[in-house]
Amino acid sequence: YMAYLRMMLNRKFSSHTVIPGERESRNVRNSSKYAQYVANVEAYLVDFWRRSQPLIPLESILGEEDKEADEEKACEKIDLDKFNSAEELESLGLERLKEGLVALHLKCGGDVKQRAKRLFSVKGLDEADVDPRLRAKRKPGLRETVTRAERRVEQILEHLEPVVEATLRRAERKLTRTKAEIDQELEDEEDGFARDADPGDDEDNPDDDDDDLAAIYNPKNLPLGWDGRPIPYWLYKLHGLDVPFHCEICGNHTYWGRRAFEQHFNEWRHSHGMRCLRIPNTKHFHGVTKMDDAIALWEILQEKLDTARFRPDRDEEYEDSDGNVLNRATYEE
């Protein structure tokens, strides 16, 4: 389940070539099982969107994006009034004639002469007067249906990315808890519902407020969890929250745990330190915490950029009378 959620976040949906319960195949995207799988995912996401965000019109968003995709794929028609014969149309070439035929929903096969003749034969005719034998038999096939459904799923997932990330974090958090902790959470939720349903209990037990306000026993200074209580010590050790990571670029700030350390490279404190060094905060500097190391790496990257940059005296090529290819500096010498 968690691997599937990560795949939803990190990979395009059209690259999911493995059906659950099936082995990977080259022709899996052309199979009816994959088409049914994509249709089920699309139906679930559409239903989830309507239940979770009923005030946002999903259909209008998808409709506009589908329309833009169709317009990108549309072919430009050829103005046949500018041509007096099929021979003049031949000068447009195979590909341009094909676009003109596809725009009129005509057959686009054959060589240049056949395409030009077929296109010129419909000059001045209405669409209803065109010979049916010239029309292309076009039906939305399985591949087009699957491609359209994949595009819709990718668009919905793009809008639901924060929801998928929150679901993944919740699943990861549940895996780190014991059964006793899960049962305790359920009991706490039931107790909370009972107190909300019967507010008179608080009046009968005024000492409950004193218990809630009492200092929490936390001798090891453990971080507090979502319920306001210290997290278990084994969880504290599991996530490495007892391991400090220092960053000189952030002003010798200390981060506790690998996760907080990895995330801080994209936060404001580290970005501000990089700006003070006049260095862009790119992926090349991920993991660099020393100022001297960052400056040295930036100088190396600058040298590589200067080497890869186009230089006329080095990269321009000339050919002499003997057919030898030389760069500009050698040629001028």
Side-chain angles (χ1 to χ4, degrees), residues 261-263 265-266 270 281-288 297:
F261 176 70
E262 293 291 340
Q263 291 179 347
F265 290 104
N266 297 325
H270 192 83
N281 189 22
T282 60
K283 292 183 179 180
H284 301 89
F285 299 92
H286 189 87
V288 179
L297 179 57

Side-chain angles (χ1 to χ4, degrees), residues 38-270:
V38 177
N40 293 339
V41 173
E42 178 188 0
Y44 172 79
L45 291 177
V46 170
D47 180 67
F48 176 81
W49 182 279
R50 291 174 179 173
R51 288 185 287 108
S52 61
Q53 305 186 34
L55 300 181
I56 302 178
L58 177 63
E59 289 76 6
S60 61
I61 298 175
L62 297 180
E64 293 177 358
E65 295 180 351
D66 288 343
K67 183 178 180 182
E68 293 177 359
D70 294 338
E71 290 177 353
E72 291 178 358
K73 295 167 60 178
C75 298
E76 184 180 358
K77 294 184 179 180
I78 298 176
D79 188 4
L80 298 178
D81 295 334
K82 298 180 180 180
F83 300 91
N84 299 320
S85 63
E87 287 74 12
E88 295 182 6
L89 283 172
E90 294 178 8
S91 61
L92 297 178
L94 275 172
E95 294 300 325
R96 187 66 184 93
L97 290 174
K98 180 179 179 180
E99 292 181 3
L101 291 169
V102 171
L104 297 176
H105 306 292
L106 302 177
K107 296 180 179 179
C108 56
D111 54 14
V112 176
K113 292 184 178 180
Q114 293 174 344
R115 294 182 182 181
K117 182 179 179 180
R118 188 182 309 120
L119 184 59
F120 189 77
S121 63
V122 300
K123 178 181 179 181
L125 298 179
D126 294 334
E127 187 175 355
D129 299 333
V130 177
D131 188 352
R133 294 175 297 180
L134 300 179
R135 296 183 182 276
K137 297 180 180 179
R138 184 181 181 278
K139 294 183 179 180
L142 179 63
R143 180 174 298 180
E144 294 182 4
T145 304
V146 169
T147 302
R148 181 177 180 274
E150 287 176 342
R151 185 171 67 246
R152 289 170 60 89
V153 170
E154 290 175 358
Q155 292 165 359
I156 299 175
L157 287 176
E158 183 178 355
H159 294 287
L160 292 177
E161 183 176 353
V163 179
V164 180
E165 291 178 351
T167 304
L168 179 60
R169 289 195 299 268
R170 178 179 175 83
E172 291 176 345
R173 187 170 64 248
K174 289 183 68 175
L175 289 178
T176 60
R177 294 156 60 191
T178 63
K179 184 178 183 302
E181 293 175 344
I182 296 176
D183 294 341
Q184 182 64 38
E185 179 185 358
L186 294 176
E187 293 179 2
D188 293 342
E189 291 180 355
E190 292 176 358
D191 294 341
F193 292 148
R195 285 194 298 269
D196 294 340
D198 190 5
D201 293 344
D202 295 338
E203 299 177 359
D204 299 337
N205 299 316
D207 295 337
D208 291 345
D209 295 338
D210 297 336
D211 295 339
D212 294 338
L213 296 177
I216 299 175
Y217 182 69
N218 189 11
K220 296 184 178 180
N221 196 23
L222 299 177
L224 301 181
W226 60 271
D227 56 353
R229 302 175 182 176
I231 64 175
Y233 186 71
W234 66 266
L235 184 61
Y236 175 77
K237 298 288 289 186
L238 176 65
H239 289 284
L241 299 180
D242 57 333
V243 180
F245 295 89
H246 306 283
C247 182
E248 184 180 353
I249 298 177
C250 297
N252 291 323
H253 190 78
T254 302
Y255 298 92
W256 294 92
R258 168 63 63 175
R259 182 176 181 181
F261 176 70
E262 293 291 340
Q263 291 179 347
H264 99 278
F265 290 104
N266 297 325
E267 296 177 352
W268 68 270
R269 192 191 305 274
H270 192 83

